[in-house]
Amino acid sequence: MRATVLNIEDAVVSYREDIALRGVSLKVKSEEFVGIIGPNGAGKTTLLTIVNGLGKLLSGRVWVLGDYLTLSNSHSLRKKVGYVPQVENIDPRMPMNVREVVMIGRYGLLGLLRKPGKHDWEIVDEMLELVGMTHLAQRPIGHLSGGEQQRVAIARCLAQEPELFLLDEPTASLDWKAQTEILELVKRIHDSRRLTTLFVTHDLSCLPVACDRVVLMKEGLIWSEGSPNELLTDGNLSRLYDMPISVVEKRRRETILV
Ligand code: ATP
């Protein structure tokens, strides 16, 4: 039986007057691929922040890779948790090339003052190869398309050699083809490197193929969880997003048409 690598018990998080998580419990097993969906403000990003130790719990408990997460061990545990953020707006004049940006992923392991060695650059080059970006390794980071920048963000995350792979809407604002390619890439990496993956997305079209399980969030709570094919029905999505079922059906037809 696979080990539980993430255990969240009754997590409550608040940002001043806003309560972002209202008592969320979730267990994730090793090598599971979990998709997290829900409307804006549902608490999806906040859920990821309590896994990588950056979010502050008002109450509740979190275990990451078997260790009870505390303020004092969050820094060391975070080294094992990779995080890919939403598409970032990068200044075209940013004076770093792709290879140097991927090396940033190693600094958590290296410490800021140690210089990267041959092994670190080998890992960087391996990750660039994995995401199909070797040919652009020397290009300034600001001179890439959104899809290419997301590939670099994934390589940077993997250069850290994480055990938990968290992705926060990595395909938002990409075109449909780039979205599909990024999801396929993430799935391939998940399978080949035997990672445990939490994937936050608004793109429902590809989830059933990629995920073992989906978690539906709404208003700071887990509204439902289970297999994608059972849960991602028009009726459930209409209730989750407070949209008439006819609109959900229309959206679905449009996605299929695309
Ligand atoms: P989206 O799909 O729009 O990214 P989300 O489901 O990821 O949304 P969160 O970003 O976790 O939702 O936000 C949950 C709630 O917490 C929202 O009401 C949001 O306004 C609030 N919130 C999030 N981050 C902060 C912050 N740093 N300071 C204050 N409130 C915040």
PDB file of all heavy atoms in Angstrom, residues 106-131:
ATOM      1  N   ARG A 106      18.123  25.338  -7.698  1.00  0.00           N
ATOM      2  CA  ARG A 106      19.115  24.593  -6.900  1.00  0.00           C
ATOM      3  C   ARG A 106      19.508  25.351  -5.639  1.00  0.00           C
ATOM      4  O   ARG A 106      20.113  24.759  -4.740  1.00  0.00           O
ATOM      5  CB  ARG A 106      20.403  24.345  -7.705  1.00  0.00           C
ATOM      6  CG  ARG A 106      20.264  23.570  -8.965  1.00  0.00           C
ATOM      7  CD  ARG A 106      20.059  22.084  -8.791  1.00  0.00           C
ATOM      8  NE  ARG A 106      21.045  21.360  -8.030  1.00  0.00           N
ATOM      9  CZ  ARG A 106      20.800  20.172  -7.475  1.00  0.00           C
ATOM     10  NH1 ARG A 106      19.620  19.609  -7.587  1.00  0.00           N
ATOM     11  NH2 ARG A 106      21.727  19.535  -6.791  1.00  0.00           N
ATOM     12  N   TYR A 107      19.232  26.680  -5.590  1.00  0.00           N
ATOM     13  CA  TYR A 107      19.790  27.469  -4.492  1.00  0.00           C
ATOM     14  C   TYR A 107      19.258  27.073  -3.112  1.00  0.00           C
ATOM     15  O   TYR A 107      19.960  27.195  -2.115  1.00  0.00           O
ATOM     16  CB  TYR A 107      19.626  28.974  -4.749  1.00  0.00           C
ATOM     17  CG  TYR A 107      20.609  29.465  -5.788  1.00  0.00           C
ATOM     18  CD1 TYR A 107      20.182  30.067  -6.964  1.00  0.00           C
ATOM     19  CD2 TYR A 107      21.976  29.280  -5.608  1.00  0.00           C
ATOM     20  CE1 TYR A 107      21.085  30.478  -7.938  1.00  0.00           C
ATOM     21  CE2 TYR A 107      22.882  29.684  -6.581  1.00  0.00           C
ATOM     22  CZ  TYR A 107      22.441  30.277  -7.744  1.00  0.00           C
ATOM     23  OH  TYR A 107      23.338  30.671  -8.701  1.00  0.00           O
ATOM     24  N   GLY A 108      18.020  26.560  -3.077  1.00  0.00           N
ATOM     25  CA  GLY A 108      17.492  26.103  -1.791  1.00  0.00           C
ATOM     26  C   GLY A 108      18.353  24.983  -1.224  1.00  0.00           C
ATOM     27  O   GLY A 108      18.588  24.892  -0.019  1.00  0.00           O
ATOM     28  N   LEU A 109      18.850  24.103  -2.107  1.00  0.00           N
ATOM     29  CA  LEU A 109      19.694  22.986  -1.671  1.00  0.00           C
ATOM     30  C   LEU A 109      21.126  23.435  -1.420  1.00  0.00           C
ATOM     31  O   LEU A 109      21.781  22.998  -0.477  1.00  0.00           O
ATOM     32  CB  LEU A 109      19.717  21.876  -2.743  1.00  0.00           C
ATOM     33  CG  LEU A 109      18.381  21.235  -3.106  1.00  0.00           C
ATOM     34  CD1 LEU A 109      18.537  20.304  -4.300  1.00  0.00           C
ATOM     35  CD2 LEU A 109      17.824  20.446  -1.927  1.00  0.00           C
ATOM     36  N   LEU A 110      21.585  24.369  -2.283  1.00  0.00           N
ATOM     37  CA  LEU A 110      22.988  24.808  -2.208  1.00  0.00           C
ATOM     38  C   LEU A 110      23.252  25.767  -1.061  1.00  0.00           C
ATOM     39  O   LEU A 110      24.344  25.791  -0.503  1.00  0.00           O
ATOM     40  CB  LEU A 110      23.340  25.567  -3.491  1.00  0.00           C
ATOM     41  CG  LEU A 110      23.707  24.781  -4.724  1.00  0.00           C
ATOM     42  CD1 LEU A 110      23.743  25.696  -5.938  1.00  0.00           C
ATOM     43  CD2 LEU A 110      25.071  24.149  -4.524  1.00  0.00           C
ATOM     44  N   GLY A 111      22.233  26.577  -0.743  1.00  0.00           N
ATOM     45  CA  GLY A 111      22.478  27.727   0.131  1.00  0.00           C
ATOM     46  C   GLY A 111      22.947  28.854  -0.782  1.00  0.00           C
ATOM     47  O   GLY A 111      23.609  28.596  -1.800  1.00  0.00           O
ATOM     48  N   LEU A 112      22.627  30.085  -0.411  1.00  0.00           N
ATOM     49  CA  LEU A 112      22.876  31.209  -1.318  1.00  0.00           C
ATOM     50  C   LEU A 112      24.362  31.469  -1.563  1.00  0.00           C
ATOM     51  O   LEU A 112      24.753  31.976  -2.589  1.00  0.00           O
ATOM     52  CB  LEU A 112      22.230  32.477  -0.752  1.00  0.00           C
ATOM     53  CG  LEU A 112      20.809  32.730  -1.231  1.00  0.00           C
ATOM     54  CD1 LEU A 112      20.261  33.984  -0.586  1.00  0.00           C
ATOM     55  CD2 LEU A 112      20.752  32.848  -2.756  1.00  0.00           C
ATOM     56  N   LEU A 113      25.206  31.090  -0.608  1.00  0.00           N
ATOM     57  CA  LEU A 113      26.602  31.494  -0.707  1.00  0.00           C
ATOM     58  C   LEU A 113      27.484  30.473  -1.430  1.00  0.00           C
ATOM     59  O   LEU A 113      28.597  30.781  -1.823  1.00  0.00           O
ATOM     60  CB  LEU A 113      27.169  31.771   0.698  1.00  0.00           C
ATOM     61  CG  LEU A 113      26.444  32.922   1.403  1.00  0.00           C
ATOM     62  CD1 LEU A 113      26.987  33.140   2.803  1.00  0.00           C
ATOM     63  CD2 LEU A 113      26.575  34.214   0.585  1.00  0.00           C
ATOM     64  N   ARG A 114      26.965  29.240  -1.599  1.00  0.00           N
ATOM     65  CA  ARG A 114      27.796  28.227  -2.280  1.00  0.00           C
ATOM     66  C   ARG A 114      27.640  28.353  -3.785  1.00  0.00           C
ATOM     67  O   ARG A 114      26.524  28.526  -4.281  1.00  0.00           O
ATOM     68  CB  ARG A 114      27.391  26.826  -1.817  1.00  0.00           C
ATOM     69  CG  ARG A 114      28.568  26.063  -1.253  1.00  0.00           C
ATOM     70  CD  ARG A 114      28.174  24.667  -0.844  1.00  0.00           C
ATOM     71  NE  ARG A 114      27.957  23.790  -1.988  1.00  0.00           N
ATOM     72  CZ  ARG A 114      27.159  22.728  -1.963  1.00  0.00           C
ATOM     73  NH1 ARG A 114      26.491  22.431  -0.870  1.00  0.00           N
ATOM     74  NH2 ARG A 114      27.019  21.968  -3.027  1.00  0.00           N
ATOM     75  N   LYS A 115      28.741  28.227  -4.493  1.00  0.00           N
ATOM     76  CA  LYS A 115      28.656  28.334  -5.953  1.00  0.00           C
ATOM     77  C   LYS A 115      28.197  27.008  -6.536  1.00  0.00           C
ATOM     78  O   LYS A 115      28.624  25.944  -6.076  1.00  0.00           O
ATOM     79  CB  LYS A 115      30.043  28.666  -6.512  1.00  0.00           C
ATOM     80  CG  LYS A 115      30.292  30.160  -6.623  1.00  0.00           C
ATOM     81  CD  LYS A 115      31.569  30.437  -7.355  1.00  0.00           C
ATOM     82  CE  LYS A 115      31.315  30.396  -8.854  1.00  0.00           C
ATOM     83  NZ  LYS A 115      32.428  30.898  -9.635  1.00  0.00           N
ATOM     84  N   PRO A 116      27.344  27.035  -7.565  1.00  0.00           N
ATOM     85  CA  PRO A 116      26.942  25.783  -8.188  1.00  0.00           C
ATOM     86  C   PRO A 116      28.142  25.055  -8.795  1.00  0.00           C
ATOM     87  O   PRO A 116      29.031  25.693  -9.367  1.00  0.00           O
ATOM     88  CB  PRO A 116      25.975  26.221  -9.296  1.00  0.00           C
ATOM     89  CG  PRO A 116      25.797  27.676  -9.183  1.00  0.00           C
ATOM     90  CD  PRO A 116      26.735  28.217  -8.173  1.00  0.00           C
ATOM     91  N   GLY A 117      28.162  23.757  -8.640  1.00  0.00           N
ATOM     92  CA  GLY A 117      29.254  22.954  -9.203  1.00  0.00           C
ATOM     93  C   GLY A 117      28.802  22.239 -10.470  1.00  0.00           C
ATOM     94  O   GLY A 117      27.674  22.428 -10.951  1.00  0.00           O
ATOM     95  N   LYS A 118      29.696  21.354 -10.953  1.00  0.00           N
ATOM     96  CA  LYS A 118      29.436  20.637 -12.216  1.00  0.00           C
ATOM     97  C   LYS A 118      28.130  19.834 -12.111  1.00  0.00           C
ATOM     98  O   LYS A 118      27.298  19.838 -13.018  1.00  0.00           O
ATOM     99  CB  LYS A 118      30.630  19.704 -12.462  1.00  0.00           C
ATOM    100  CG  LYS A 118      30.612  19.002 -13.785  1.00  0.00           C
ATOM    101  CD  LYS A 118      32.007  18.411 -14.092  1.00  0.00           C
ATOM    102  CE  LYS A 118      31.944  17.449 -15.254  1.00  0.00           C
ATOM    103  NZ  LYS A 118      31.595  16.090 -14.890  1.00  0.00           N
ATOM    104  N   HIS A 119      27.960  19.163 -10.953  1.00  0.00           N
ATOM    105  CA  HIS A 119      26.758  18.337 -10.756  1.00  0.00           C
ATOM    106  C   HIS A 119      25.481  19.184 -10.850  1.00  0.00           C
ATOM    107  O   HIS A 119      24.496  18.770 -11.457  1.00  0.00           O
ATOM    108  CB  HIS A 119      26.852  17.648  -9.387  1.00  0.00           C
ATOM    109  CG  HIS A 119      25.619  16.907  -9.021  1.00  0.00           C
ATOM    110  ND1 HIS A 119      25.209  15.775  -9.702  1.00  0.00           N
ATOM    111  CD2 HIS A 119      24.673  17.130  -8.061  1.00  0.00           C
ATOM    112  CE1 HIS A 119      24.067  15.339  -9.179  1.00  0.00           C
ATOM    113  NE2 HIS A 119      23.717  16.133  -8.181  1.00  0.00           N
ATOM    114  N   ASP A 120      25.529  20.391 -10.271  1.00  0.00           N
ATOM    115  CA  ASP A 120      24.341  21.263 -10.305  1.00  0.00           C
ATOM    116  C   ASP A 120      23.999  21.654 -11.749  1.00  0.00           C
ATOM    117  O   ASP A 120      22.836  21.633 -12.141  1.00  0.00           O
ATOM    118  CB  ASP A 120      24.588  22.523  -9.460  1.00  0.00           C
ATOM    119  CG  ASP A 120      24.869  22.169  -8.014  1.00  0.00           C
ATOM    120  OD1 ASP A 120      24.005  21.543  -7.387  1.00  0.00           O
ATOM    121  OD2 ASP A 120      25.970  22.481  -7.524  1.00  0.00           O
ATOM    122  N   TRP A 121      25.040  21.991 -12.526  1.00  0.00           N
ATOM    123  CA  TRP A 121      24.774  22.369 -13.926  1.00  0.00           C
ATOM    124  C   TRP A 121      24.282  21.163 -14.726  1.00  0.00           C
ATOM    125  O   TRP A 121      23.456  21.302 -15.631  1.00  0.00           O
ATOM    126  CB  TRP A 121      26.027  22.987 -14.569  1.00  0.00           C
ATOM    127  CG  TRP A 121      26.275  24.390 -14.068  1.00  0.00           C
ATOM    128  CD1 TRP A 121      27.323  24.803 -13.290  1.00  0.00           C
ATOM    129  CD2 TRP A 121      25.454  25.544 -14.281  1.00  0.00           C
ATOM    130  NE1 TRP A 121      27.202  26.143 -13.002  1.00  0.00           N
ATOM    131  CE2 TRP A 121      26.072  26.630 -13.608  1.00  0.00           C
ATOM    132  CE3 TRP A 121      24.269  25.771 -14.970  1.00  0.00           C
ATOM    133  CZ2 TRP A 121      25.524  27.914 -13.611  1.00  0.00           C
ATOM    134  CZ3 TRP A 121      23.721  27.053 -14.980  1.00  0.00           C
ATOM    135  CH2 TRP A 121      24.346  28.100 -14.312  1.00  0.00           C
ATOM    136  N   GLU A 122      24.772  19.967 -14.361  1.00  0.00           N
ATOM    137  CA  GLU A 122      24.279  18.757 -15.059  1.00  0.00           C
ATOM    138  C   GLU A 122      22.792  18.556 -14.802  1.00  0.00           C
ATOM    139  O   GLU A 122      22.023  18.215 -15.697  1.00  0.00           O
ATOM    140  CB  GLU A 122      25.059  17.519 -14.585  1.00  0.00           C
ATOM    141  CG  GLU A 122      26.399  17.391 -15.271  1.00  0.00           C
ATOM    142  CD  GLU A 122      27.306  16.359 -14.613  1.00  0.00           C
ATOM    143  OE1 GLU A 122      26.875  15.674 -13.644  1.00  0.00           O
ATOM    144  OE2 GLU A 122      28.454  16.245 -15.066  1.00  0.00           O
ATOM    145  N   ILE A 123      22.393  18.784 -13.530  1.00  0.00           N
ATOM    146  CA  ILE A 123      20.959  18.642 -13.195  1.00  0.00           C
ATOM    147  C   ILE A 123      20.151  19.674 -13.977  1.00  0.00           C
ATOM    148  O   ILE A 123      19.113  19.367 -14.550  1.00  0.00           O
ATOM    149  CB  ILE A 123      20.724  18.850 -11.678  1.00  0.00           C
ATOM    150  CG1 ILE A 123      21.529  17.848 -10.880  1.00  0.00           C
ATOM    151  CG2 ILE A 123      19.240  18.865 -11.335  1.00  0.00           C
ATOM    152  CD1 ILE A 123      20.794  16.696 -10.327  1.00  0.00           C
ATOM    153  N   VAL A 124      20.647  20.916 -14.015  1.00  0.00           N
ATOM    154  CA  VAL A 124      19.944  21.984 -14.753  1.00  0.00           C
ATOM    155  C   VAL A 124      19.768  21.569 -16.214  1.00  0.00           C
ATOM    156  O   VAL A 124      18.672  21.663 -16.785  1.00  0.00           O
ATOM    157  CB  VAL A 124      20.730  23.314 -14.637  1.00  0.00           C
ATOM    158  CG1 VAL A 124      20.268  24.329 -15.668  1.00  0.00           C
ATOM    159  CG2 VAL A 124      20.575  23.886 -13.225  1.00  0.00           C
ATOM    160  N   ASP A 125      20.831  21.068 -16.826  1.00  0.00           N
ATOM    161  CA  ASP A 125      20.754  20.690 -18.245  1.00  0.00           C
ATOM    162  C   ASP A 125      19.815  19.495 -18.445  1.00  0.00           C
ATOM    163  O   ASP A 125      19.079  19.429 -19.432  1.00  0.00           O
ATOM    164  CB  ASP A 125      22.158  20.389 -18.784  1.00  0.00           C
ATOM    165  CG  ASP A 125      22.992  21.671 -18.875  1.00  0.00           C
ATOM    166  OD1 ASP A 125      22.387  22.763 -18.956  1.00  0.00           O
ATOM    167  OD2 ASP A 125      24.229  21.589 -18.833  1.00  0.00           O
ATOM    168  N   GLU A 126      19.821  18.585 -17.474  1.00  0.00           N
ATOM    169  CA  GLU A 126      18.910  17.426 -17.559  1.00  0.00           C
ATOM    170  C   GLU A 126      17.450  17.908 -17.536  1.00  0.00           C
ATOM    171  O   GLU A 126      16.607  17.435 -18.300  1.00  0.00           O
ATOM    172  CB  GLU A 126      19.191  16.493 -16.377  1.00  0.00           C
ATOM    173  CG  GLU A 126      18.344  15.239 -16.375  1.00  0.00           C
ATOM    174  CD  GLU A 126      18.430  14.485 -15.047  1.00  0.00           C
ATOM    175  OE1 GLU A 126      19.435  14.645 -14.308  1.00  0.00           O
ATOM    176  OE2 GLU A 126      17.472  13.746 -14.745  1.00  0.00           O
ATOM    177  N   MET A 127      17.169  18.875 -16.660  1.00  0.00           N
ATOM    178  CA  MET A 127      15.783  19.359 -16.540  1.00  0.00           C
ATOM    179  C   MET A 127      15.362  20.162 -17.772  1.00  0.00           C
ATOM    180  O   MET A 127      14.221  20.084 -18.215  1.00  0.00           O
ATOM    181  CB  MET A 127      15.612  20.210 -15.269  1.00  0.00           C
ATOM    182  CG  MET A 127      15.867  19.430 -14.001  1.00  0.00           C
ATOM    183  SD  MET A 127      15.077  17.806 -14.013  1.00  0.00           S
ATOM    184  CE  MET A 127      16.018  16.964 -12.770  1.00  0.00           C
ATOM    185  N   LEU A 128      16.323  20.909 -18.340  1.00  0.00           N
ATOM    186  CA  LEU A 128      16.005  21.648 -19.568  1.00  0.00           C
ATOM    187  C   LEU A 128      15.666  20.673 -20.697  1.00  0.00           C
ATOM    188  O   LEU A 128      14.743  20.884 -21.473  1.00  0.00           O
ATOM    189  CB  LEU A 128      17.186  22.535 -19.967  1.00  0.00           C
ATOM    190  CG  LEU A 128      17.299  23.836 -19.178  1.00  0.00           C
ATOM    191  CD1 LEU A 128      18.601  24.550 -19.495  1.00  0.00           C
ATOM    192  CD2 LEU A 128      16.106  24.749 -19.489  1.00  0.00           C
ATOM    193  N   GLU A 129      16.410  19.597 -20.740  1.00  0.00           N
ATOM    194  CA  GLU A 129      16.158  18.547 -21.744  1.00  0.00           C
ATOM    195  C   GLU A 129      14.768  17.945 -21.528  1.00  0.00           C
ATOM    196  O   GLU A 129      13.974  17.783 -22.453  1.00  0.00           O
ATOM    197  CB  GLU A 129      17.252  17.473 -21.560  1.00  0.00           C
ATOM    198  CG  GLU A 129      17.113  16.247 -22.419  1.00  0.00           C
ATOM    199  CD  GLU A 129      17.783  16.426 -23.762  1.00  0.00           C
ATOM    200  OE1 GLU A 129      18.893  16.964 -23.784  1.00  0.00           O
ATOM    201  OE2 GLU A 129      17.152  16.039 -24.768  1.00  0.00           O
ATOM    202  N   LEU A 130      14.466  17.661 -20.261  1.00  0.00           N
ATOM    203  CA  LEU A 130      13.183  17.029 -19.906  1.00  0.00           C
ATOM    204  C   LEU A 130      11.990  17.875 -20.358  1.00  0.00           C
ATOM    205  O   LEU A 130      10.971  17.354 -20.793  1.00  0.00           O
ATOM    206  CB  LEU A 130      13.152  16.835 -18.385  1.00  0.00           C
ATOM    207  CG  LEU A 130      12.018  16.027 -17.790  1.00  0.00           C
ATOM    208  CD1 LEU A 130      12.114  14.575 -18.238  1.00  0.00           C
ATOM    209  CD2 LEU A 130      12.070  16.085 -16.270  1.00  0.00           C
ATOM    210  N   VAL A 131      12.125  19.208 -20.234  1.00  0.00           N
ATOM    211  CA  VAL A 131      10.989  20.061 -20.603  1.00  0.00           C
ATOM    212  C   VAL A 131      11.101  20.557 -22.054  1.00  0.00           C
ATOM    213  O   VAL A 131      10.314  21.386 -22.496  1.00  0.00           O
ATOM    214  CB  VAL A 131      10.824  21.269 -19.640  1.00  0.00           C
ATOM    215  CG1 VAL A 131      10.618  20.813 -18.221  1.00  0.00           C
ATOM    216  CG2 VAL A 131      12.001  22.234 -19.738  1.00  0.00           C
TER     217      VAL A 131
END
